[in-house]
Amino acid sequence: ARTASVVLRWDRDSIYTPCNAHLDGHPEWPQRGASVYHEWRLHQEDDYVDRLKNVAIEGTKASELEPFKTAKMFAELAWRGYDNFENEKKWIANNLPGWRLVLRALD
């Protein structure tokens, strides 16, 4: 599978590999090793969204460039799924003009 890949970092450049007709990205990331490990506390909304709001690639702030701008929007939207229905609807109304939450399916 081809997919753009990014290693989001705090206070330094992130590592980004785009995906196009010539580049496959790195769908195998993250590879586990000495400095990469499973740590679920790192996987919270503030970790992803804050880093996407401040992402820099090769010294250039990239948060308002694609694909980071859309990734930030979808990261914020994904975390709304942990909120209650009314709060989720309010967030969508305030942050995604033209979008509506019409159904919330629960397993």
Side-chain angles (χ1 to χ4, degrees):
R2 292 180 174 208
T3 185
S5 308
V6 65
V7 176
L8 293 169
R9 294 181 165 167
W10 292 106
D11 300 323
R12 60 184 170 140
D13 275 358
S14 294
I15 302 170
Y16 173 59
T17 59
C19 176
N20 58 37
H22 306 288
L23 300 170
D24 292 341
H26 281 283
E28 76 280 5
W29 284 358
Q31 292 183 344
R32 306 296 176 240
S35 63
V36 179
Y37 55 94
H38 293 282
E39 176 53 80
W40 288 106
R41 290 176 293 180
L42 295 175
H43 299 279
Q44 300 297 319
E45 179 181 13
D46 56 341
D47 294 309
Y48 286 106
V49 174
D50 288 350
R51 285 185 280 175
L52 284 166
K53 285 180 180 177
N54 296 291
V55 65
I57 306 297
E58 297 180 0
T60 301
K61 186 172 169 99
S63 60
E64 293 303 313
L65 303 175
E66 293 298 346
F68 309 107
K69 184 177 182 178
T70 298
K72 180 174 62 73
M73 183 268 295
F74 279 114
E76 292 175 314
L77 178 61
W79 284 99
R80 298 295 66 80
Y82 293 102
D83 209 340
N84 66 52
F85 185 75
E86 289 305 316
N87 287 344
E88 189 173 9
K89 279 178 49 176
K90 287 178 192 173
W91 185 90
I92 289 170
N94 290 331
N95 293 279
L96 299 173
W99 288 52
R100 290 182 22 214
L101 180 62
V102 295
L103 177 70
R104 183 172 181 174
L106 300 174
D107 289 354

